[in-house]
Amino acid sequence: MARTTGSIHGHHTTFPSPGLPHFFEQAPRLLGLLSTAGLKNWTDYGIRNYAKHPERQEEYFRLESADSRAVLQRERHGTLFVDVERQLDLYLCALWRDSDFLVPYSTAFDELRRPVPYYDKLGMRVPDVFDDAHGPGGPVSGIDRYRAVLAHMVGHRRWSKPQIADNWSPFQRMAVEFFEDCRVETLLIREFPGLRRIFLACIPGRSWLPAIQKPRRACATVWRCCRAL
């Protein structure tokens, strides 16, 4: 932290961060309590508010200040993957006879692309945290959303086949994806009828439809079909 470094701008010594050593000490504990998005917000708060107060910054990153604990509690929301990983492994093995690896990814640092769950040869990729559907205390809990996502991916691995979509229009591709999702979820519900409530509750309302009129009409048609199926 206190090593010197060369510089062509006149400064030849790095300025040590008072809170960084304490942050590294608390990092294992923090990663067990927060998602990466929550950890980023908690860290940014401490840096932004205590940059000019070294002693208070040290207290913040040692989790000794009331402000630090309050922000930590505020950022701890949803169902963390690390808390339910074993339950999800048992769920896959017991209900779906599948023992593939579960690989969490962060939703904190890729705001433009917004990654979604998917699977490949290396395992099933799921978010590191799931909030309750449609807000806190919603109709589907975070762990049930994990179960629905894993069941959906298992269904695609069993019953879907790869398609060549190079010459499809965007609407054709979207329609095929939506109807294939409906088909797969229908087959899943036939095996476990209790999934019907979760799948229906996870379908968003009409507010997600695009504001542009023509795509809105097209999306509304597909949305109504999904609800009906």
Side-chain angles (χ1 to χ4, degrees), residues 42 45 49-50 56 60 65-72:
W42 180 83
Y45 183 95
N49 290 279
Y50 301 115
R56 296 187 65 184
Y60 182 90
S65 68
D67 201 16
S68 174
R69 292 191 292 269
V71 176
L72 180 69

Side-chain angles (χ1 to χ4, degrees), residues 2-222:
R3 287 182 180 179
T4 59
T5 180
S7 172
I8 62 174
H9 300 292
H11 294 280
H12 302 285
T13 304
T14 57
F15 297 99
S17 168
L20 187 59
H22 305 295
F23 172 77
F24 285 146
E25 290 174 2
Q26 299 292 339
R29 178 186 175 189
L30 291 169
L31 288 171
L33 295 173
L34 300 173
S35 66
T36 49
L39 180 59
K40 176 178 179 294
N41 294 336
W42 180 83
T43 306
D44 288 346
Y45 183 95
I47 295 171
R48 184 173 62 251
N49 290 279
Y50 301 115
K52 298 181 180 180
H53 303 279
E55 296 82 4
R56 296 187 65 184
Q57 187 182 114
E58 291 181 16
E59 291 180 359
Y60 182 90
F61 285 104
R62 284 200 301 261
L63 292 174
E64 294 179 354
S65 68
D67 201 16
S68 174
R69 292 191 292 269
V71 176
L72 180 69
Q73 187 63 32
R74 184 187 69 190
E75 294 297 333
R76 181 171 168 77
H77 60 85
T79 301
L80 297 180
F81 174 79
V82 294
D83 291 339
V84 296
E85 181 178 5
R86 178 165 176 77
Q87 297 179 51
L88 297 176
D89 281 330
L90 294 174
Y91 165 78
L92 273 180
C93 292
L95 270 68
W96 304 109
R97 299 177 295 281
D98 195 313
S99 57
D100 205 355
F101 291 108
L102 301 180
V103 185
Y105 62 81
S106 172
T107 58
F109 306 105
D110 203 347
E111 297 179 359
L112 294 178
R113 192 169 60 92
R114 294 186 181 277
V116 296
Y118 67 97
Y119 64 89
D120 56 21
K121 294 180 180 179
L122 300 178
M124 295 182 172
R125 313 303 178 102
V126 294
D128 60 350
V129 61
F130 254 141
D131 292 325
D132 295 346
H134 312 308
V140 182
S141 65
I143 190 170
D144 279 344
R145 291 185 69 188
Y146 274 117
R147 290 168 178 153
V149 163
L150 293 177
H152 189 90
M153 287 193 281
V154 169
H156 276 295
R157 282 158 54 129
R158 289 187 181 182
W159 299 305
S160 295
K161 296 180 180 179
Q163 300 288 330
I164 299 175
D166 293 344
N167 59 344
W168 291 357
S169 70
F171 178 70
Q172 286 176 320
R173 184 175 302 183
M174 181 182 65
V176 170
E177 289 175 355
F178 277 29
F179 281 108
E180 179 64 8
D181 285 343
C182 292
R183 185 183 75 88
V184 165
E185 291 182 358
T186 299
L187 295 173
L188 291 169
I189 291 170
R190 288 178 182 175
E191 288 204 26
F192 295 99
L195 287 171
R196 185 175 187 274
R197 177 191 64 83
I198 298 175
F199 285 146
L200 281 177
C202 286
I203 295 177
R206 297 177 65 91
S207 59
W208 70 276
L209 298 175
I212 304 174
Q213 197 60 31
K214 286 188 178 179
R216 183 181 179 86
R217 287 199 298 268
C219 291
T221 301
V222 177

